[in-house]
Each structure stands twice: as structure tokens, then as C-alpha cells.
Amino acid sequence: MLEKDNDLAFKHDSTPRNIPLSDHGLQPRQFSQAALSIVEKLQSLGYEACIVGGCIRDLLLGRTPKDFDVATNATPEQIKDAFGNARLIGRRFRLAHVRFGREVIEVATYRGESPSDAANPSDGTSAVRELDGGRLVRDNVYGTESEDAIRRDFTINALMYDPSTETLKDHVGGYEDLKTRTLRLIGDPETRYREDPVRLLRAVRFMTKLELSPDKATEAPIRPMAPLLQDIPPARLFDEILKLFLSGHAWSTYQALVAFDLWEQLFPNLLQDPSAPPMIVKQGLKNTDARVAADQPVTPGFLFAVFLWHRVETRAEALSGKGLPPVNALGQAGDEILYEQAQTVAIHRRFSSMAREIWCMQPRFLKQSQRRGERMIQERRFRAAYDFLLLRALEEPALQPVADWWTELQKTAPPPAPSRPHSGPKRRRPRRRRRRNDARAQAR
Ligand code: ATP
Ligand code: MG
């Protein structure tokens, strides 16, 4: 059912504004060769096809796109016929992954979308959501090029590039918005946020990461509508959290989330005063950004360890008071707090175990014996737990000498042994690997 106040978003088949190469300046070599070849092949078979979405936005902003997506009027089956190696994914809205050399390009059929369909995000992965009144979202329907542009979230994300004419097609004014660095939802903002509240988080992410100013109507509903995030499945929120905090702008994103009352929806009652976060959180986020900038690996396990630490510590102190040894108290407190947090944001097991291991190593740092220390350095989580200790020392000056002792020890101790995946007769690795494959096969 179309919303009355959302006319703009659902007037289909608008004629796009065509922006020629002389204006947009994007050169074919800036695009992924794989995406260009896929579009060319689809067009040669008589289909419409274009490169679309975030990659065009990023190129126009002078950034390197993470990935290149293709949209077409060919159905998933027709895409599969065109590309022998295409793999169809997604249960409700199917799209194709087409492998081209080492790249995998997502090829999606144009979608027409009513407000009730939009709860299923464009990537077709998840988020089947029950809307108000218990109405289930309808299955997605295929659409035209302009419908596909209009159902996207922000105007800057709806630009389409046709390599055969080297033209950009703009159905929603995204090109002008990019020039003026404006973030604007397509259609009526309240309706679009209500359709899919994850757009509230996406708005903050794009504002911060791309340094865009939100248009007033796009910004105004964010704070009052923040509680709508409570309807979003924890697994989908986890995916968004990775994008929010591991893309190199964690600290500014954190501040924006707090300012828009969104942080509290993701991590309810976690920090006493989120607008003045503990040092471990502030510096933990800044260190994450520095690592991303230096191309070093970052893991959500460490970040969750940082976010939840003070809650875990308080709970562990209570348990220690009842006689539990410190490591056990931290383990049990960690389990409880992780369980509580998982009610809002699902945390994959490998990340929750990492957080737990980091916490449980903390009391062991207090025992400074050379022999024991050298063994500890060999442990898998040592480095992460040590980095965590350095952060704690910023808040607890008494820990600084402890941290220094471990810093010195690492200079003299033998370096950690490289992992030996195939040594020893009792290795369980092959079994684990088999189980993972099974899980993947079931998910298909
Ligand atoms: P990023 O650089 O973070 O990947 P992106 O814009 O490419 O940003 P994706 O999540 O990869 O984001 O989505 C690809 C495209 O799908 C977007 O550019 C947008 O056009 C559309 N899209 C994604 N999520 C939504 C949503 N919740 N509602 C409407 N359209 C969406
Ligand atoms: Mg993307």
C-alpha cells in the first residue's frame, strides 16, 4: 500500500537526468574491470544493466569503492544463464554473485519496492521484519530502472553508470546532493525510516564517514525515531555495528550515535554517561581508527571487550566478593554481560570468546614471574589482552608499571611461536573445518 505522503518516492518511470562524461569525469579505468565486463555482456544479450550504488558515490567523492554492484532487468535465472558460474543467493530476494577472476560482483535484478517491502534490505540478506499490526512484509517484486533507483535509501546512493555511453543516470537528484555534500533520504524521511529503521544508522554512518551534512528533513526524525531500532533483529544490528566501528571513523561515529540517541538503542544501559565515555572506550575507538588507517587488522572481539569492560568488571567484583577466584569471576561475569548484550546485538561466538579471553587474562598480568610470563606471551590472545591492559592503564595509573613490566618482557622473551596448523597427532582442526562447511551448506 502506498503512503499518501510519500508520493515522490513512488512515482515510477521518471526520466533520469543524464550526466555526460564531460561533466562527471569518471573514467572507465576507475571501475572494476569485472563489473564493466558483466554489464557489457548483459547488454550484448539485450538486457539493461548498469553499475550502481555506493561505488559511484565513492568515486565521485574521490574515494576508493569497497565493491562494485551491478543492477539489471535480467532475472536471477537469466543472469545464471548468462554466467555459468553465477551463484544465486538470498532466500526472499534472490541476487547473483558472479565471479570474474578474483572478484565477485553482486548482480541484482531491478527491484520495485513498496514501503512494506523495504524492511528487507537491498542486499537481500536478512531482516524479514514484522511491521506494525503484525503484518508480514510482502515478497519483493522486480521493477524498472527508475523504481530501482527510487527504492534506494539516500539520493547519493542511487546514481547509475552506463559504461556503454559513459553516462551517469540520476533519478533522484543525487548528483547535485553530492556536489553540495548533502545527505538526503529519497522520499518522505519519516516513512522511509519507519520502513527500515536501519536507515537511521546508515544516515549517521554516511554523515560521519563521508563528511556530509544531512538535509533538515532527513536529520530531524532521527532522534525521535531512534527507538524503532528495537524492532531490528540482533543479527542485522551486528552487521551494521561492524560497518559503524570498523571503517576507520569509529570515534566520530560513536559521538554521532550518542548525539542522535542511537547508541543507547544498540548498547542499552551500558555506559553511565555515554556523552562522557570512559577513557578505555574513547581511546579504544581512536586506536581502532589508527589501526584501520595503518592498514592493520581490526576485530570486533576487541571492540566488544572494550565496550563491555566496566560492566563486566563491576559484575566480576560482586562475584569475587562471594568467593569466586578472579579469573573465574571474570569468566562468569563476562558470560552474563555478553548474554545480556546479545539480546540487542548478536555477537558471533568467535568474537564473544575473544572478548572473554581478553578479560580473563587481565588478572594474570598481575603475576609477574619471568617463566610464567614467557609462557603467557606464547598464548594466542596475549597480544590483544596486552593491548587491552595498556588501555586499562590509562584509567588506572596503578596498572602502568604492570604494563611496563610486560612491555619489557616482550623485548627479551623469545617471540611467540608461529602457529603450527598440522603438527601433532591429536589436532582437531580438520573436524572443525568440516563442521563449518556443513553450516555453510545448510545456509545455502
Ligand atoms: P558501503 O560503502 O558502506 O558499502 P553502500 O552504499 O555500498 O555503502 P551497501 O550496504 O553496500 O551500502 O548497499 C548497497 C546499496 O544498496 C546502497 O548504496 C543503497 O543504494 C542500497 N541500500 C542499502 N541498504 C539499503 C536500505 N536499508 N534501504 C534502501 N536501500 C539500501
Ligand atoms: Mg557497498
Side-chain angles (χ1 to χ4, degrees):
M1 205 90 25
L2 299 190
E3 305 277 340
K4 272 205 194 78
D5 55 356
N6 199 24
D7 287 343
L8 170 67
F10 298 99
K11 268 184 192 146
H12 316 309
D13 294 321
S14 61
T15 317
R17 175 182 164 202
N18 287 319
I19 301 146
L21 171 66
S22 55
D23 195 345
H24 64 69
L26 298 182
Q27 302 298 328
R29 64 180 154 72
Q30 294 178 267
F31 291 84
S32 124
Q33 192 49 52
L36 292 173
S37 305
I38 289 168
V39 169
E40 195 181 321
K41 168 122 188 231
L42 285 168
Q43 290 179 338
S44 75
L45 292 170
Y47 299 112
E48 294 172 26
C50 57
I51 299 178
V52 68
C55 60
I56 314 279
R57 171 202 72 209
D58 289 344
L59 286 175
L60 288 169
L61 288 172
R63 291 165 180 259
T64 310
K66 272 202 315 244
D67 40 38
F68 289 83
D69 296 330
V70 168
T72 172
N73 68 350
T75 63
E77 287 70 25
Q78 289 167 331
I79 300 168
K80 199 159 171 50
D81 284 344
F83 303 95
N85 67 359
R87 210 160 64 84
L88 300 191
I89 60 155
R91 269 179 305 158
R92 292 179 68 250
F93 191 85
R94 283 185 308 157
L95 36 87
H97 277 177
V98 179
R99 181 174 286 284
F100 219 91
R102 273 204 264 144
E103 266 184 277
V104 175
I105 301 289
E106 198 168 282
V107 184
T109 308
Y110 292 147
R111 287 165 63 177
E113 198 166 43
S114 77
S116 58
D117 291 326
N120 193 28
S122 66
D123 57 7
T125 47
S126 56
V128 178
R129 197 164 62 91
E130 220 171 86
L131 294 183
D132 291 347
R135 194 162 43 105
L136 271 175
V137 291
R138 282 197 276 127
D139 272 331
N140 294 288
V141 284
Y142 299 137
T144 61
E145 178 194 284
S146 69
E147 286 171 326
D148 191 69
I150 278 162
R151 61 92 189 170
R152 290 172 188 273
D153 48 4
F154 299 96
T155 59
I156 56 162
N157 286 344
L159 291 164
M160 297 164 155
Y161 177 74
D162 180 352
S164 67
T165 57
E166 298 184 339
T167 304
L168 276 186
K169 289 183 277 187
D170 182 3
H171 291 267
V172 291
Y175 191 70
E176 270 323 296
D177 282 342
L178 264 182
K179 279 196 165 163
T180 57
R181 302 191 79 95
T182 306
L183 186 71
R184 189 191 312 273
L185 266 173
I186 300 168
D188 172 62
E190 283 193 25
T191 310
R192 302 300 318 275
Y193 287 133
R194 201 173 299 284
E195 283 168 13
D196 182 6
V198 166
R199 291 175 187 148
L200 298 161
L201 296 174
R202 288 176 61 85
V204 167
R205 181 156 69 87
F206 292 129
M207 275 181 226
T208 326
K209 176 175 137 185
L210 306 174
E211 295 173 343
L212 304 175
S213 306
D215 139 77
K216 242 165 121 188
T218 295
E219 182 178 17
I222 299 181
R223 203 168 290 115
M225 295 184 92
L228 289 181
L229 284 175
Q230 287 161 19
D231 294 344
I232 303 298
R236 191 163 174 225
L237 288 185
F238 176 78
D239 292 344
E240 284 304 315
I241 284 196
L242 298 191
K243 294 190 192 173
L244 286 164
F245 291 112
L246 301 181
S247 310
H249 302 83
W251 171 234
S252 49
T253 301
Y254 171 87
Q255 291 170 294
L257 288 173
V258 171
F260 283 108
D261 294 346
L262 294 166
W263 167 265
E264 205 52 35
Q265 299 300 330
L266 300 173
F267 296 95
N269 307 318
L270 185 64
L271 304 178
Q272 248 168 16
D273 176 8
S275 61
M279 189 62 118
I280 187 170
V281 169
K282 182 174 177 181
Q283 197 56 46
L285 291 167
K286 287 184 170 187
N287 290 359
T288 305
D289 291 342
R291 290 183 70 92
V292 174
D295 239 351
Q296 290 173 320
V298 285
T299 157
F302 190 84
L303 217 52
F304 277 100
V306 163
F307 287 158
L308 303 184
W309 170 243
H310 281 295
R311 273 282 282 281
V312 170
E313 199 186 22
T314 310
R315 183 77 53 96
E317 273 163 18
L319 291 169
S320 290
K322 288 183 190 160
L324 224 55
V327 174
N328 304 39
L330 277 167
Q332 187 174 325
D335 286 342
E336 289 174 18
I337 302 297
L338 282 163
Y339 178 80
E340 277 173 32
Q341 180 58 46
Q343 306 311 302
T344 319
V345 177
I347 309 172
H348 292 190
R349 184 182 282 288
R350 68 174 184 285
F351 302 128
S352 55
S353 347
M354 180 182 186
R356 198 181 183 282
E357 287 170 53
I358 289 172
W359 295 327
C360 287
M361 275 181 97
Q362 297 307 307
R364 295 172 56 205
F365 283 119
L366 299 176
K367 297 182 185 142
Q368 295 160 16
S369 111
Q370 174 94 11
R371 254 198 29 232
R372 207 196 287 248
E374 284 177 2
R375 275 209 307 274
M376 205 161 131
I377 289 177
Q378 304 291 328
E379 289 183 30
R380 181 169 69 134
R381 290 293 176 231
F382 173 80
R383 185 68 212 195
Y386 162 77
D387 286 343
F388 193 81
L389 175 70
L390 295 181
L391 284 177
R392 288 180 61 213
L394 297 174
E395 293 182 350
E396 296 176 56
L399 285 177
Q400 194 54 55
V402 179
D404 292 343
W405 188 87
W406 286 93
T407 308
E408 283 308 308
L409 184 68
Q410 287 172 81
K411 289 181 188 158
T412 53
S419 53
R420 292 159 298 164
H422 299 299
S423 64
K426 289 186 190 160
R427 310 239 18 130
R428 308 186 73 180
R429 193 170 279 257
R431 254 188 69 198
R432 283 221 310 271
R433 201 172 279 159
R434 216 167 26 244
R435 271 212 301 273
R436 262 209 302 273
N437 286 343
D438 287 352
R440 216 180 284 148
Q442 276 165 19
R444 270 187 201 135

